[in-house]
Amino acid sequence: MSAPNNPYDPVRVAALDPATLDAAVAAADAAFAAAQDLEALKAARLAHLDRGQVAQARREIGALPPAAKAEAGKRVGAALAAVQAAYSAREAELVAHRDAQILVQERVDVSVPAARRPLGARHPVELTMERLVDVFVAMGWEVAEGPEVESEWMNFDALNLGVDHPARQMQDTFFVDPPDGGLVLRAHTSPVQIRTMLTRTPPIYVVAPGKVFRTDDLDATHTPVFHQIECLAVDKGLTMAHLRGSIDHFVRAMFGDVRTRVRASYFPFTEPSMETDFQCFVCRGGDEACRMCGGSGWIELGGSGMVNRKVLQACGIDPDVYTGFAFGFGIERALQLRNGVSDMRDIVEGDVRFSGQFGMAV
Ligand code: DAH
């Protein structure tokens, strides 16, 4: 007879031993409890859940005889569920802990005053220039530009300011090194007239804003760098009436419903030439103590005239066919008048607090 068939006892298989399983569950519990963060918990899970003894026990079930499988499966399943539950509970704790930490670390105090960066402001000269240009662009005029380093010929000669012309000393000019090199920092925007007439054919209606330079020291009423705006029209049949009309329109757009008047004057590039004044927009001539006009009732605007025949000729335009008018005036002056800026240095120094008053943040 053969020896009695010793039935296979799953409890005896090492990994399936209840004590071993209990110890494995306890070890897993302890390892999960000891994990102080999610990283450590992950390592403990690998060791005790994914690859530990309980997992091994589960694999061994497959080798058991069918009769033993159910009971062993129940025990191992319970052990696995216990380890899984312990893991999930600890994971929930650590996630909550991490989230709480993040909330503390990344706390934003919305009541803290923001660090303000000053935005800067557009310069009032620029704004005034744009406003002036807009008046002409609205009438269909075009904007023309020229270089700030200009040839003497454009700045003087072509404008009928010959080498010996006394008017050549009227402007104190910066000469670019070498002094006999024929280059200057333009002393007015009038050379843009020349450049325009040399490159375009009439009818010409242009407005040319820009920087100009003269050897003045900076004080309350002077600055060596300032801005002018130059207006030039060349067409058939233009007369002084058109010139007056254009100036009237522009002055009204800038200073309100005021009248203009002209006085005979002299500029080499215009003939006849005139100075234009406009009625004081503060007192309209009714206040002898007016600080804007000094009580005269009139404010000087700038020079103008009919383009000199010689200037037209220098630019290749037939003065018997075409006539033109031109006028030019200072932007800083317009700004001073319109906005009550009394000291030129405020305009030049570029303090953003000054510019900011003009309400134009960038
Ligand atoms: N260029 C002159 C100046 O700087 C201003 C001027 C006067 C411009 C008469 C003109 C003009 O176009 O016709 O003082």
Side-chain angles (χ1 to χ4, degrees):
M1 250 181 93
S2 56
N5 196 0
N6 221 357
Y8 178 83
D9 183 357
V11 176
R12 293 265 171 72
V13 175
L16 295 170
D17 176 337
T20 311
L21 273 180
D22 287 348
V25 171
D29 278 358
F32 295 157
Q36 290 306 308
D37 56 35
L38 288 165
E39 198 64 24
L41 184 65
K42 190 178 169 193
R45 192 191 75 194
L46 279 174
H48 293 275
L49 192 57
D50 300 349
R51 296 194 206 114
Q53 273 187 306
V54 186
Q56 194 192 332
R58 194 167 62 165
R59 277 198 302 279
E60 287 183 2
I61 293 172
L64 295 178
K69 270 188 184 161
E71 189 272 338
K74 230 188 210 165
R75 265 187 307 113
V76 172
L80 209 54
V83 174
Q84 180 66 56
Y87 170 79
S88 299
R90 184 62 180 151
E91 187 190 34
E93 272 172 24
L94 290 177
V95 165
H97 179 67
R98 183 206 52 197
D99 290 353
Q101 261 182 336
I102 288 178
L103 283 181
V104 172
Q105 281 163 1
E106 298 182 3
R107 183 164 163 260
V108 175
D109 183 352
V110 292
S111 68
V112 170
R116 287 200 183 197
R117 288 224 190 119
L119 277 179
R122 299 193 60 203
H123 198 280
V125 164
E126 195 68 28
L127 295 171
T128 306
M129 205 143 76
E130 267 177 27
R131 199 187 294 263
L132 294 170
V133 167
D134 280 353
V135 174
F136 291 97
V137 169
M139 293 194 288
W141 294 43
E142 289 172 72
V143 177
E145 282 177 321
E148 290 167 6
V149 176
E150 185 56 284
S151 75
E152 273 189 74
W153 187 81
M154 298 270 187
N155 193 73
F156 296 124
D157 303 78
L159 287 162
N160 195 34
L161 286 124
V163 181
D164 299 321
H165 201 293
R168 202 142 174 163
Q169 271 76 56
M170 263 164 48
Q171 293 156 345
D172 303 313
T173 311
F174 283 110
F175 287 83
V176 175
D177 263 349
D180 57 356
L183 287 179
V184 294
L185 297 186
R186 68 179 177 193
H188 49 179
T189 42
S190 300
V192 184
Q193 290 187 26
I194 305 300
R195 290 183 171 272
T196 304
M197 287 190 278
L198 286 173
T199 52
R200 304 185 190 206
T201 45
I204 292 170
Y205 291 88
V206 291
V207 55
K211 272 194 177 61
V212 299
F213 309 83
R214 293 191 197 168
T215 58
D216 286 322
D217 288 331
L218 179 63
D219 62 27
T221 51
H222 296 90
T223 160
V225 183
F226 57 104
H227 299 76
Q228 286 186 337
I229 194 161
E230 190 82 17
C231 306
L232 170 73
V234 182
D235 206 342
K236 284 181 183 159
L238 289 182
T239 67
M240 286 185 83
H242 298 106
L243 170 55
R244 284 293 308 268
S246 302
I247 291 179
D248 272 1
H249 173 76
F250 146 76
V251 166
R252 286 210 189 95
M254 286 302 282
F255 297 101
D257 192 17
V258 290
R259 290 179 21 229
T260 61
R261 72 174 186 190
V262 291
R263 291 174 282 119
S265 183
Y266 170 73
F267 298 100
F269 31 91
T270 43
E271 184 58 38
S273 303
M274 53 199 206
E275 288 286 346
T276 306
D277 303 328
F278 60 98
Q279 212 181 17
C280 176
F281 55 91
V282 174
C283 74
R284 287 172 201 267
D287 178 4
E288 278 180 18
C290 177
R291 286 171 56 190
M292 179 59 69
C293 63
S296 73
W298 295 95
I299 296 172
E300 272 183 41
L301 175 67
S304 66
M306 299 305 290
V307 180
N308 194 312
R309 290 174 65 87
K310 288 186 187 166
V311 174
L312 291 174
Q313 269 161 346
C315 299
I317 293 175
D318 185 347
D320 293 324
V321 178
Y322 292 103
T323 51
F325 64 81
F327 51 106
F329 47 88
I331 309 282
E332 277 78 358
R333 185 166 157 69
L335 171 64
Q336 285 186 306
L337 291 170
R338 206 170 172 276
N339 297 83
V341 180
S342 54
D343 196 324
M344 187 68 85
R345 286 168 293 204
D346 288 334
I347 300 178
V348 171
E349 278 163 3
D351 187 329
V352 74
R353 289 170 301 179
F354 171 74
S355 301
Q357 296 173 57
F358 294 81
M360 285 291 183
V362 180

